[in-house]
Amino acid sequence: MIVLSVCNHKGGTGKTTSVIHIAAALGLSGKRVLVLDLDPQGFLSRTLDVDEPPPEESVLALFDPNLDPRRIQARELSGFDLIPSTSRLTKFMRSLNKPTDVLWVRETIEALKPNYDAIMFDTAAAVTVYSLNALVASQHVVIPVLPEYQGVVGAEQTFQTTNLVRDRLNPNLQTRSMLFTQVDARKRIHQTYQQYIRRKYGNYAMDSIVRTSTSLAEAHDNGTTVFDHDPTTRGARDYANATDELLRRIQKGVDLPGPPETSGDATDVPEPSELKVSS
């Protein structure tokens, strides 16, 4: 049973695209996959053309003791099922102010596990009680990294958050994997930041990358996945390769260690002008 969060504390890093296409690739491999949209803005749900659900059929049922998560009717999509977000999450978040409120998802997904081989969480581009719930419930984390300054800052902050969660709340957090997304080989800064992350985080950085792709953008416009249109496109190949590598990492069951610098602070990220491309 795989329980996986996809997180980056900065927006625009390809997080939601990665959730959708990793889930779809897992589904194509024969796994029964459930995606939970824990972002109060519900971007993943809206991207997949899923309308605002009633509360009892949304992720709110994982947090509201008056609702029963066992009665959720997940939406069947292309290759995976979805429990969509709801706008009510924003208001409900005000009531989740106790230390134990980061444990709701870990406790309530037990009712969903027998029906699936993998459960994935999409999270907001911020540290919220919902994103912490996802990390506390997960065994594995994927951190999408747009190889530009803001994306790298967000990735490093997210990595530090996973360290805190593993040390204090979830010792079962087994692997962290950084996946480069929206990579444009023509941009020198993309090459530079990839080198920076690989040098600092070593094996935490995945070998696979996801390149810029028109096919991924078009799939978003149609509320589908790139695999539905043409599995031979660049976007489909990149996410298929990334998912295969991710499964190999998960099968190892332990973090692939990076160099000693992994304990550094995200504020140490140099400005683009400070980085050098090695010859």
Side-chain angles (χ1 to χ4, degrees):
M1 177 66 194
I2 297 169
V3 185
L4 170 70
S5 287
V6 180
C7 297
N8 190 311
H9 296 338
K10 298 291 183 182
T13 61
K15 175 176 58 61
T16 295
T17 299
S18 295
V19 175
I20 292 171
H21 287 91
I22 292 172
L26 288 172
L28 287 171
S29 73
K31 295 188 182 299
R32 298 165 300 166
V33 183
L34 175 65
V35 173
L36 294 93
D37 186 357
L38 292 179
D39 183 354
Q41 295 185 359
F43 182 63
L44 182 145
S45 300
R46 289 186 282 112
T47 296
L48 295 171
D49 290 336
V50 175
D51 295 331
E52 174 85 9
E56 64 273 13
E57 294 185 13
S58 75
V59 292
L60 186 63
L62 301 177
F63 301 93
D64 189 339
N66 296 315
L67 301 175
D68 185 353
R70 293 171 297 182
R71 304 189 67 174
I72 298 175
Q73 296 295 317
R75 311 294 178 91
E76 295 184 8
L77 301 176
S78 181
F80 58 91
D81 290 352
L82 171 68
I83 300 178
S85 181
T86 172
S87 58
R88 297 193 183 193
L89 285 178
T90 300
K91 182 177 181 180
F92 194 81
M93 185 161 50
R94 301 171 190 167
S95 66
L96 299 174
N97 50 27
K98 300 187 297 296
T100 55
D101 284 333
V102 299
L103 304 175
W104 279 99
V105 171
R106 185 167 72 183
E107 294 175 357
T108 54
I109 64 168
E110 294 298 324
L112 307 173
K113 281 184 177 181
N115 298 318
Y116 295 97
D117 303 307
I119 292 178
M120 294 183 61
F121 302 110
D122 189 23
T123 59
V127 181
T128 70
V129 67
Y130 299 124
S131 57
L132 288 175
N133 261 272
L135 291 174
V136 169
S138 294
Q139 304 158 334
H140 312 281
V141 178
V142 172
I143 304 174
V145 186
L146 172 66
E148 296 178 3
Y149 181 70
Q150 292 294 331
V152 169
V153 169
E156 296 212 284
Q157 291 173 341
T158 305
F159 189 85
Q160 295 304 319
T161 299
T162 65
N163 281 340
L164 292 171
V165 168
R166 187 182 62 178
D167 292 344
R168 301 181 183 181
L169 297 168
N170 180 15
N172 294 320
L173 187 55
Q174 299 172 15
T175 67
R176 281 85 54 80
S177 302
M178 292 179 164
L179 172 64
F180 291 109
T181 59
Q182 304 176 52
V183 175
D184 188 338
R186 298 167 298 179
K187 292 184 177 181
R188 181 172 176 174
I189 195 65
H190 281 205
Q191 299 173 18
T192 302
Y193 272 113
Q194 286 183 74
Q195 291 176 0
Y196 167 76
I197 287 291
R198 292 190 188 282
R199 182 172 64 249
K200 184 171 182 179
Y201 290 93
N203 290 327
Y204 289 112
M206 295 177 65
D207 295 327
S208 304
I209 65 170
V210 178
R211 297 164 289 178
T212 55
S213 172
T214 302
S215 61
L216 290 172
E218 291 175 345
H220 272 194
D221 292 340
N222 296 323
T224 55
T225 76
V226 69
F227 299 109
D228 296 319
H229 301 283
D230 187 351
T232 66
T233 60
R234 175 191 295 179
R237 295 197 309 272
D238 286 354
Y239 271 111
N241 290 335
T243 303
D244 285 344
E245 181 181 349
L246 182 62
L247 285 174
R248 292 195 298 272
R249 287 169 166 259
I250 288 172
Q251 288 167 1
K252 290 181 181 294
V254 294
D255 255 342
L256 299 172
E261 292 93 331
T262 53
S263 60
D265 194 316
T267 58
D268 294 335
V269 178
E271 295 287 349
S273 60
E274 299 174 350
L275 293 173
K276 305 294 183 183
V277 179
S278 59
S279 58

